[in-house]
Amino acid sequence: MALIRGLGLVVVLLCALPAWSAGIELRDFDDPVTEQRYRDLTASMRCPLCENQAIDDSDAPISADMRERVYQLLDEGKSDTEIIQHMVQRFGDYILYNPRLEQRTYLLWGLPVGLLVVVGVVVAWIVRSRRHASAKALSPDEQARLDALIERKESS
C-alpha cells in the first residue's frame, strides 16, 4: 500500500515538473546594467497574444520568443532604441505600452488634452453665465413683487 502511494507521488511529481520548469527562465548577464536594461525592455513591451500583459510576465510562447530575441540583441550590443525598433518592425506598434508620437497617433495623444480644454471651456462658460444671471438687476415688476413678499413675511 505504501509502495503504491509512493509510486503515485513520484508520477504526480514527474507530471508536474514541466509546468514548474516552464516559468523559470535563467539569463546570464555580464553586468547588472545590462540585466536592468533587459528587465526594462521586457516590461515595456506588450505580449501580442495576451493583449494587456508585458512579455516579462507572460507565459505565452511568443513572449518567450520575444524575450529571447531581446536577450540576443542585448548580447549583440544593440541600444535600447535599436531593440525597440527591431521589435516594432517585427511585431508592430501594438507591442509598445507607450506608443510613439507620430502622425498616426496624434489623436491618441491629443484626445486627453483636447477633452481637458473642452471641459475647461464648458466649466468657464457655466460659471460666467451664472455670475451674470445672479448679478442682473431686477425689473420694477420683480422688485415690487419681492417687496410685497417680504412685507407679507414680516407681517405674519
Side-chain angles (χ1 to χ4, degrees):
M1 186 74 159
L3 181 63
I4 294 175
R5 285 185 189 163
L7 188 57
L9 181 61
V10 169
V11 169
V12 168
L13 288 175
L14 286 175
C15 289
L17 186 62
W20 285 332
S21 65
I24 299 173
E25 199 171 284
L26 298 176
R27 303 274 183 218
D28 292 328
F29 293 97
D30 296 335
D31 63 343
V33 173
T34 307
E35 184 175 358
Q36 187 60 43
R37 284 179 56 208
Y38 172 80
R39 293 190 193 291
D40 291 343
L41 284 167
T42 57
S44 70
M45 292 182 207
R46 182 187 328 223
C47 172
L49 183 64
C50 306
E51 293 188 13
N52 203 16
Q53 190 175 14
I55 64 172
D56 66 347
D57 292 335
S58 176
D59 290 333
I62 192 158
S63 290
D65 292 343
M66 291 173 76
R67 288 190 300 267
E68 181 63 31
R69 188 65 185 143
V70 168
Y71 178 74
Q72 289 171 356
L73 292 171
L74 280 171
D75 199 37
E76 292 172 10
K78 303 285 185 184
S79 70
D80 291 359
T81 307
E82 291 173 324
I83 293 171
I84 290 171
Q85 185 62 32
H86 172 80
M87 299 302 274
V88 166
Q89 284 177 350
R90 190 166 179 193
F91 298 102
D93 284 331
Y94 175 76
I95 66 161
L96 299 176
Y97 272 116
N98 295 319
R100 293 177 267 187
L101 183 60
E102 297 175 339
Q103 191 171 5
R104 304 182 298 153
T105 60
Y106 284 156
L107 182 63
L108 177 68
W109 286 102
L111 192 60
V113 174
L115 287 175
L116 264 172
V117 168
V118 168
V119 167
V121 167
V122 168
V123 167
W125 179 72
I126 290 172
V127 167
R128 186 171 180 242
S129 66
R130 286 191 180 181
R131 275 191 195 152
H132 287 150
S134 64
K136 206 189 256 184
L138 296 176
S139 67
D141 291 337
E142 292 172 332
Q143 187 64 45
R145 186 168 177 222
L146 179 62
D147 291 338
L149 288 172
I150 291 173
E151 268 184 44
R152 192 169 37 166
K153 180 71 173 172
E154 287 175 354
S155 65
S156 52

